[in-house]
């Protein structure tokens, strides 16, 4: 081959590489854009359920002030020190505009995506980086199957936990484990531990990155290992100070008496991010029975991880180092699955696929994807050597990506209706219509919401209270929603929504007519 032809071939490859990178980045942007669209329309830009506890925190902060004990206070199984710090800072700047928390969750997820990409690229030279991992990671990290976490600002606990664990894994798997990187990794796991209770598992799951890491002196390994163990024991000991078992958690003995239910919970929990592509996932207050096919994804994932890792290690012992961060993240998810099953399996297997859990579980599938990338490098696919075939396979993969993205968005459509009702309930409360239907939908204790939490917001002008609270333009939406309830035979709900429309716009003729018809229908039925 002449010099000119070689130069032309190199130029073509670089052009092809640039095209491939552009396609991968374009595909990766699609789940992010879909998420932002969904959040804009269905995000809960107001306090919801557990978040009402934070209203008391803000009231105390504005009065007598808050101290370490308030940040340290236990919430269910969690000591949410760092999420409370972030939420307090955001609330102080915004008057507790929950939209800021939703934005923070998206930023934390984006940081997680970038950290995962960086960890995936570490074993590869710049010209051989598996760019196809980026859309896969983006698909999982931005998945709308996590809708309950996305729309709920309070779930910053989970997003901060996941970002901190991934950051720690990246620090521990870098080219050199310097004292500074090691100290930063310990701090990251401290943040994870005091954001969400599962973070405590990271001390165990990421320990192999310290204990088995190749390429460091024996003395340094011993010192780092002892420091890691000491830090983990200290954090766990601190965590347990004045710890009280939450009443929502059933006895561990119930799990020991039903090991098959425990295993089934773990399998469903692991597979939920994939199952959620085609199946509606349960959410807060909604239980959906698990079918036989719902176990498939988790079972495949459980088998694939050890098989991929074992084949890579047999082929090349040097592959241990690049595998360690992904093994650590996978162990973290497996530990989370086991702990969650121990605490929730007795409540029913339908709990395992709850949308809230999938933010953590996606790390398992990201780890599997990264191991596949290492596998492709170790066992090259000869069919991909042909540029034409690469283009065909790339087009097919892009088509599948788009199909799965659309399927995942469509499978969770039922949640959007639920979120719309919550949004309208919130607007009704702001307008002063304290109907039991709305109070029950937004808080575990409707009486406390009416008599304690809402007065705090009015007095402090937090979360959108203060100023004009009668959005007249929404009256049409309440009437339209009432029509849907009438068609479904839900007359009490329809009556509540029509009452709200009249509160928002007293002169709304359609609402007045429909309300009168409905009252007559209800009286006739009685």
């Amino acid at each position: 081959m002449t010099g000119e032809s070689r130069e032309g071939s190199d130029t073509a490859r670089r052009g092809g590489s640039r095209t491939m990178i552009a396609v991968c980045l374009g595909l990766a942007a699609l789940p992010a854009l879909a998420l932002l669209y969904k959040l804009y329309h269905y995000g809960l830009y107001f306090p919801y359920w557990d978040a009402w506890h934070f209203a008391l925190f803000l009231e105390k902060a504005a009065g007598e002030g808050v101290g370490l004990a308030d940040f340290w206070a236990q919430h269910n199984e969690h000591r949410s020190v760092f999420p409370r710090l972030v939420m307090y800072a955001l609330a102080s700047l915004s008057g507790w505009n929950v939209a800021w928390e939703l934005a923070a969750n998206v930023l934390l997820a984006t940081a997680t995506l970038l950290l995962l990409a960086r960890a995936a690229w570490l074993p590869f030279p710049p010209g051989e980086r598996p760019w196809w991992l980026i859309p896969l990671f983006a698909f999982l990290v931005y998945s709308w199957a996590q809708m309950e976490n996305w729309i709920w600002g309070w779930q910053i606990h989970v997003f901060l936990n996941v970002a901190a664990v991934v950051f720690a894994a990246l620090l521990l798997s870098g080219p050199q484990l310097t004292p500074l990187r090691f100290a930063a990794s310990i701090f990251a796991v401290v943040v994870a531990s005091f954001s969400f209770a599962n973070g405590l598992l990271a001390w165990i799951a990421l320990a192999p990155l310290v204990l088995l890491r190749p390429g460091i002196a024996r003395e340094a390994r011993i010192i780092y290992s002892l420091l890691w163990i000491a830090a983990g024991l200290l954090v766990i000991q601190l965590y347990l100070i004045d710890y009280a078992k939450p009443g929502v958690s059933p006895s561990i003995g119930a799990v020991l008496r039903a090991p098959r239910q425990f295993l089934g919970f773990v399998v469903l929990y692991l597979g939920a991010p994939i199952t959620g592509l085609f199946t509606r996932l349960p959410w807060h207050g909604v239980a959906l029975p698990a079918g036989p096919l719902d176990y498939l994804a988790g079972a495949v994932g459980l088998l694939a991880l050890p098989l991929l890792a074992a084949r890579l290690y047999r082929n090349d012992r040097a592959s241990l180092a690049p595998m360690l961060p992904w093994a650590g993240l996978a162990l973290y998810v497996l530990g989370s699955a086991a702990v969650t099953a121990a605490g929730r399996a007795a409540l029913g297997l339908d709990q395992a696929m709850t949308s809230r859990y999938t933010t953590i579980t996606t790390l398992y599938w990201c780890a599997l994807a990264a191991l596949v990338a290492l596998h492709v490098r170790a066992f090259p696919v000869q069919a991909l050597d042909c540029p034409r075939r690469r283009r065909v396979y790339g087009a097919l993969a892009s088509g599948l990506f788009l199909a799965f993205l659309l399927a995942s968005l469509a499978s969770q459509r039922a949640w959007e209706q639920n979120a719309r009702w919550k949004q309208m309930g919130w607007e009704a409360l702001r307008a002063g219509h304290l109907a039991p239907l709305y109070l029950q939908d937004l808080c575990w204790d409707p009486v406390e919401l009416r008599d304690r939490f809402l007065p705090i917001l009015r007095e402090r002008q937090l979360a959108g209270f203060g100023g004009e609270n009668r959005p007249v333009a929404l009256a049409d939406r309440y009437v339209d929603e009432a029509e849907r309830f009438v068609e479904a035979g839900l007359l009490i709900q329809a009556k509540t929504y029509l009452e709200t429309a009249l509160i928002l716009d007293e002169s709304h003729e359609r609402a007045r007519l429909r309300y009168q018809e409905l009252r007559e229908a209800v009286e006739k039925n009685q």
Side-chain angles (χ1 to χ4, degrees):
M1 180 182 292
T2 66
E4 290 183 1
S5 61
R6 279 197 302 270
E7 183 179 348
S9 177
D10 292 341
T11 302
R13 280 197 296 269
R14 287 196 298 270
S17 177
R18 286 194 295 268
T19 301
M20 182 267 294
I21 292 172
V23 169
C24 288
L25 293 179
L27 290 174
L30 294 178
L33 293 174
L35 170 64
L36 293 176
Y37 174 84
K38 294 285 190 180
L39 275 182
Y40 178 79
H41 288 280
Y42 304 109
L44 304 186
Y45 299 99
F46 47 85
Y48 172 67
W49 218 258
D50 293 33
W52 287 111
H53 290 288
F54 199 62
L56 303 179
F57 183 96
L58 293 176
E59 182 186 38
K60 186 176 181 181
E64 62 192 81
V66 291
L68 178 60
D70 298 290
F71 288 97
W72 183 260
Q74 184 179 339
H75 178 76
N76 290 339
E77 299 93 345
H78 316 290
R79 294 201 184 276
S80 308
V81 178
F82 292 97
R84 282 194 179 104
L85 284 169
V86 175
M87 291 172 65
Y88 181 47
L90 294 176
S92 300
L93 292 170
S94 68
W96 201 18
N97 183 345
V98 178
W100 288 42
E101 295 173 9
L102 301 186
N105 290 343
V106 175
L107 290 176
L108 285 169
T110 301
T112 301
L113 171 63
L114 296 176
L115 292 169
L116 288 168
R118 176 59 180 161
W121 285 346
L122 281 176
F124 294 88
E128 300 178 14
R129 287 172 174 170
W131 284 90
W132 55 269
L133 278 177
I134 305 303
L136 278 181
F137 287 165
F139 182 88
L140 292 165
V141 170
Y142 294 127
S143 169
W144 187 238
Q146 309 167 65
M147 68 279 180
E148 195 173 8
N149 283 345
W150 288 125
I151 57 89
W152 191 1
W154 179 259
Q155 295 303 91
I156 195 171
H157 298 68
V158 181
F159 289 105
L160 186 56
N161 165 273
V162 168
V165 170
V166 175
F167 186 42
L170 175 62
L171 288 169
L172 292 172
S173 58
Q176 292 184 334
L177 187 58
T178 64
L180 181 60
R181 291 176 68 95
F182 182 73
S185 69
I186 286 181
F187 178 73
V189 182
V190 169
V191 171
S193 300
F194 292 110
S195 294
F196 203 64
N198 297 43
L200 296 172
L201 299 169
W203 296 105
I204 300 171
L206 300 185
L209 277 73
V210 181
L211 302 176
L212 301 178
R213 179 189 174 92
I216 66 173
R218 181 172 178 272
E219 295 79 6
R221 187 193 311 280
I222 292 174
I223 293 172
Y224 285 146
S225 299
L226 291 176
L227 288 173
W228 184 267
I229 293 170
L233 291 175
L234 176 61
V235 167
I236 293 171
Q237 185 63 36
L238 288 172
Y239 199 95
L240 294 177
I241 294 175
D242 295 328
Y243 181 84
K245 182 181 179 296
V248 297
S249 299
S251 169
I252 299 296
V255 175
L256 297 177
R257 292 190 294 271
R260 284 197 302 177
Q261 186 165 356
F262 173 86
L263 180 59
F265 191 101
V266 169
V267 172
L268 289 170
Y269 180 100
L270 286 178
I274 307 303
T275 308
L277 299 181
F278 313 103
T279 304
R280 189 178 77 173
L281 297 182
W283 60 73
H284 192 230
V286 174
L288 300 171
L293 291 178
D294 293 333
Y295 293 87
L296 182 60
V300 170
L302 274 175
L303 291 173
L305 181 76
L307 290 176
L308 282 172
R311 191 177 186 211
L312 280 170
Y313 188 65
R314 282 198 307 268
N315 180 67
D316 182 9
R317 298 297 177 90
S319 63
L320 175 63
M323 281 196 301
L324 279 176
W326 307 110
L329 293 178
L331 285 173
Y332 176 66
V333 177
L334 288 170
S336 298
V339 169
T340 306
R344 297 289 188 270
L347 300 177
L349 289 177
D350 57 277
Q351 294 269 327
M353 293 191 297
T354 298
S355 172
R356 296 190 306 278
Y357 298 151
T358 55
T359 301
I360 291 176
T361 321
T362 51
L363 293 181
Y364 189 88
W365 296 93
C366 288
L368 276 179
L371 289 180
V372 169
L374 293 173
H375 199 273
V376 170
R377 184 182 68 166
F379 304 96
V381 181
Q382 292 183 356
L384 295 179
D385 290 339
C386 174
R388 181 177 297 177
R389 288 181 179 177
R390 282 202 302 270
R391 287 193 292 270
V392 171
Y393 292 145
L396 290 174
S398 299
L400 284 174
F401 181 90
L402 294 173
F404 287 147
L405 177 60
L406 293 174
S408 67
L409 295 174
S411 63
Q412 311 307 324
R413 287 294 299 275
W415 166 257
E416 296 168 10
Q417 177 174 277
N418 186 280
R420 189 175 68 249
W421 291 335
K422 288 176 170 55
Q423 290 172 343
M424 298 177 73
W426 171 251
E427 291 299 339
L429 294 180
R430 289 180 67 232
H433 188 29
L434 305 181
L437 180 68
Y438 300 139
L439 295 170
Q440 293 167 6
D441 202 26
L442 298 182
C443 184
W444 73 95
D445 189 332
V447 175
E448 191 167 17
L449 174 57
R450 182 193 64 200
D451 297 341
R452 189 178 186 189
F453 297 141
L454 289 178
I456 291 173
L457 300 191
R458 292 193 189 97
E459 180 184 353
R460 305 289 179 186
Q461 294 194 351
L462 299 172
F465 273 78
E468 177 59 50
N469 284 336
R470 288 186 59 191
V472 176
L474 290 178
D476 284 334
R477 287 184 58 195
Y478 283 90
V479 177
D480 292 340
E481 208 69 28
E483 300 283 7
R484 295 188 183 97
F485 283 128
V486 171
E487 291 174 3
L490 302 173
L491 301 186
I492 300 299
Q493 289 86 338
K495 181 174 178 289
T496 301
Y497 274 66
L498 289 171
E499 288 172 350
T500 306
L502 289 172
I503 288 174
L504 296 175
D505 184 0
E506 297 174 357
S507 63
H508 200 290
E509 189 63 25
R510 187 160 63 104
R512 188 176 302 282
L513 290 174
R514 294 299 288 145
Y515 185 68
Q516 183 61 36
E517 293 172 2
L518 190 60
R519 283 182 58 184
E520 293 174 357
V522 171
E523 290 172 2
K524 184 177 180 179
N525 290 336
Q526 290 176 345

